[in-house]
């Protein structure tokens, strides 16, 4: 990738070094890049062990006191009371062990990713709360956080990371996870979304937003088999300028499983799987996708929105001030009109796609449910009447 050192993934496959990984994590915490160890969870574990131990001690003391009166039944009662306590204690010990292993694995992951970032000339950032990116996946849900972020700044800003947020549905709360690539552009572009068909779920697109069908643009070739392209109405020619046949071919070859969003001065690519991992093959693919797109961004950044030139505040035509021609009584002659290139920016209609009307979807679903109910209820009657 231009501006970044040659691809070197040796840090991702180095032998484990728990001491180095632990020291690196402690340094991140000391520098304020990571929160301190969760003391609340540790206190809860300690209190749970103390309570279990206290209950077990009380039960044993009572059995000793009443052993003579209970006779052989004391042993049976002891087993009935102590076995659940032993199982609970075993569960707590297992939880502590697994928690410790998960913590060590996370420390090793950060250490490896930081070494990889150093070797390829990028910066490692362990966590970014509420990342300030304008894409559709960054504006919804709660507890938004990007993690395992790698950033490069030459020849332009590039960021690769994983993003998560929580969504609530009544009493249930779930965490949604994405992998993303963010590339900073030199100029703002119209809001355009390429919804990949390769990652569709049971109900179609996996993106957490939908846009009106009137904004969908069909492109030539077999591009529509791989992507659904949405652009603001009136910006169809602009989308065709940006997504020329060679750009579309590159996207199909290298990024057909990624959703693509252009918004403001950002090019964003989304994956339903993590993109920042300790898998060298995944990183090699990510670098190939970025390199493929960087080669075409210079052409994109020459785009200008003619609608800005047509607005009264930004005239497309101008002339130099009038100047008199030499001689008494000579008429004033204006300089020839000169075409001014439109300014950088996007007119308001092109800055954001319009969301689909949810009531239309609700109406279709309710209509389908109602029709199905009618068929189930009256279908046998119609069949009986028409077959007599």
């Amino acid at each position: 990738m231009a501006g970044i050192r040659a691809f070197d993934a040796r840090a991702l496959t180095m032998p484990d070094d728990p001491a180095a990984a632990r020291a690196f994590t402690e340094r991140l915490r000391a520098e304020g890049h990571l929160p301190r160890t969760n003391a609340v969870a540790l206190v809860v574990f300690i209190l749970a062990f103390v309570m279990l131990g206290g209950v077990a001690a009380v039960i044993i003391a009572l059995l000793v006191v009443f052993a003579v009166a209970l006779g052989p039944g004391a042993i049976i009662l002891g087993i009935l009371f102590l076995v659940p306590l032993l199982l609970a204690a075993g569960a707590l010990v297992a939880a502590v062990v697994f928690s410790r292993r998960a913590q060590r694995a996370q420390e090793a992951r950060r250490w490896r990713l930081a070494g990889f970032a150093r070797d390829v000339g990028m910066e490692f950032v362990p966590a970014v709360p509420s990342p300030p990116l304008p894409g559709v996946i960054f504006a919804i849900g709660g507890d938004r956080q990007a993690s395992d972020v790698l950033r490069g700044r030459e020849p332009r800003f590039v960021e690769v990371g994983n993003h998560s947020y929580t969504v609530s549905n009544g009493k249930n709360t779930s965490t949604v996870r994405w992998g993303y690539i963010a590339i900073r552009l030199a100029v703002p572009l119209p809001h355009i979304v390429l919804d990949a068909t390769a990652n569709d779920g049971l109900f179609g697109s996996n993106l957490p937003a939908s846009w009106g069908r009137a904004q969908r643009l069909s492109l030539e070739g077999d591009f529509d088999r791989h992507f659904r392209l949405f652009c603001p109405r009136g910006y169809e020619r602009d989308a065709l300028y940006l997504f020329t046949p060679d750009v579309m071919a590159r996207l199909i070859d290298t990024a057909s499983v990624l959703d693509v969003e252009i918004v403001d001065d950002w090019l964003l690519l989304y994956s339903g799987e993590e993109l920042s991992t300790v898998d060298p093959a995944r990183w090699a693919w990510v670098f190939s996708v970025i390199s493929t797109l960087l080669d075409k961004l210079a052409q994109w950044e020459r785009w200008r929105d003619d609608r800005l030139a047509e607005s009264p505040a930004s005239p497309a035509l101008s002339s130099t001030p009038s100047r008199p021609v030499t001689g008494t009584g000579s008429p004033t002659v204006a300089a020839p009109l000169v075409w001014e290139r439109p300014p950088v920016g996007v007119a308001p209609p092109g800055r954001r796609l319009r969301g689909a009307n949810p009531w239309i979807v609700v109406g279709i679903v309710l209509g389908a449910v109602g029709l199905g109910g009618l068929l189930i209820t009256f279908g046998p009657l119609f069949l009986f009447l028409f077959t007599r």
Side-chain angles (χ1 to χ4, degrees):
M1 195 187 314
I4 295 179
R5 298 173 197 162
F7 184 78
D8 184 352
R10 286 176 295 178
L12 300 176
T13 57
M14 289 180 62
D16 289 335
D17 189 342
R22 192 178 307 116
F24 177 70
T25 296
E26 290 303 322
R27 193 184 78 192
L28 290 175
R29 288 199 177 100
E31 295 173 351
H33 299 304
L34 278 177
R36 292 288 178 180
T37 304
N38 192 346
V40 175
L42 182 61
V43 170
V44 169
F45 275 120
I46 293 174
L47 288 177
F49 276 115
V50 171
M51 289 178 62
L52 285 174
V55 171
V58 171
I59 292 174
I60 293 172
L62 290 174
L63 289 174
V64 170
V65 171
F66 295 101
V68 176
L70 294 173
I75 298 176
I76 297 175
L77 286 176
I79 293 174
L80 290 177
F81 281 109
L82 292 177
V83 166
L85 291 175
L86 290 174
L87 291 175
L92 280 174
V93 171
V96 171
V97 171
F98 283 116
S99 175
R100 192 64 173 170
R101 285 185 179 178
Q103 180 181 346
R104 295 304 180 212
Q106 188 62 32
E107 289 174 352
R109 177 188 175 98
R110 295 191 195 103
W111 175 64
R112 292 179 187 281
L113 284 172
F116 172 67
R118 178 196 63 238
D119 293 342
V120 297
M122 301 180 78
E123 172 192 6
F124 172 71
V125 182
V128 181
S130 299
L133 293 170
V136 64
I137 71 170
F138 300 101
I140 61 174
D143 298 327
R144 298 192 291 266
Q145 178 167 283
S147 59
D148 296 336
V149 174
L150 268 68
R151 291 173 176 166
R153 301 184 183 277
E154 295 294 337
R156 64 177 71 241
F157 183 92
V158 176
E159 179 173 297
V160 181
N162 305 314
H163 180 65
S164 65
Y165 56 86
T166 59
V167 292
S168 299
N169 183 13
K171 296 181 179 180
N172 299 321
T173 300
S174 59
T175 301
V176 182
R177 304 181 190 280
W178 294 86
Y180 71 92
I181 302 170
I183 303 175
R184 193 70 180 265
L185 306 173
V187 298
L189 295 176
H191 190 196
I192 297 176
V193 171
L194 275 68
D195 184 4
T197 60
N199 56 25
D200 282 351
L202 182 61
F203 300 101
S205 173
N206 68 331
L207 286 173
S210 58
W211 298 275
R213 294 180 62 85
Q215 299 170 107
R216 184 173 176 183
L217 175 62
S218 180
L219 298 179
E220 62 183 35
D222 62 349
F223 189 77
D224 288 350
R225 292 176 47 240
H226 299 275
F227 293 98
R228 291 179 288 267
L229 189 151
F230 296 90
C231 68
R233 297 188 66 178
Y235 281 79
E236 291 81 5
R237 285 193 310 163
D238 306 274
L240 294 175
Y241 171 82
L242 298 174
F243 292 96
T244 53
D246 62 319
V247 173
M248 294 187 291
R250 291 188 179 199
L251 286 172
I252 292 173
D253 291 340
T254 61
S256 62
V257 296
L258 300 176
D259 300 302
V260 182
E261 182 177 16
I262 300 173
V263 55
D264 298 335
D265 55 348
W266 288 95
L267 170 62
L268 304 165
L269 299 96
Y270 310 129
S271 170
E273 300 178 357
E274 290 186 338
L275 293 182
S276 182
T277 72
V278 291
D279 179 8
R282 177 64 59 88
W283 276 109
W285 173 67
V286 167
F287 270 51
S288 70
V289 171
I290 296 173
S291 296
T292 296
L293 293 172
L294 289 183
D295 291 343
K296 303 305 298 181
L297 294 187
Q299 173 185 328
W300 285 14
E301 291 166 350
R302 290 194 292 268
W303 175 87
R304 295 293 183 270
D305 194 345
D306 294 337
R307 297 153 193 82
L308 292 176
E310 295 168 0
S311 66
S314 303
L317 296 175
S318 67
S319 63
T320 56
S322 301
R323 62 181 185 277
V325 177
T326 306
T328 306
S330 301
T332 299
V333 180
L337 293 174
V338 179
W339 175 260
E340 286 186 355
R341 194 180 186 197
V344 171
V346 183
R351 292 174 187 169
R352 290 295 184 273
L353 286 163
R354 293 189 177 185
N357 189 341
W359 291 109
I360 295 178
V361 178
V362 172
I364 293 173
V365 172
L366 291 178
V369 171
L371 180 60
L374 289 174
L375 290 175
I376 293 173
T377 305
F378 298 105
L381 176 61
F382 290 150
L383 183 62
F384 173 74
L385 293 175
F386 283 107
T387 55
R388 291 186 60 187

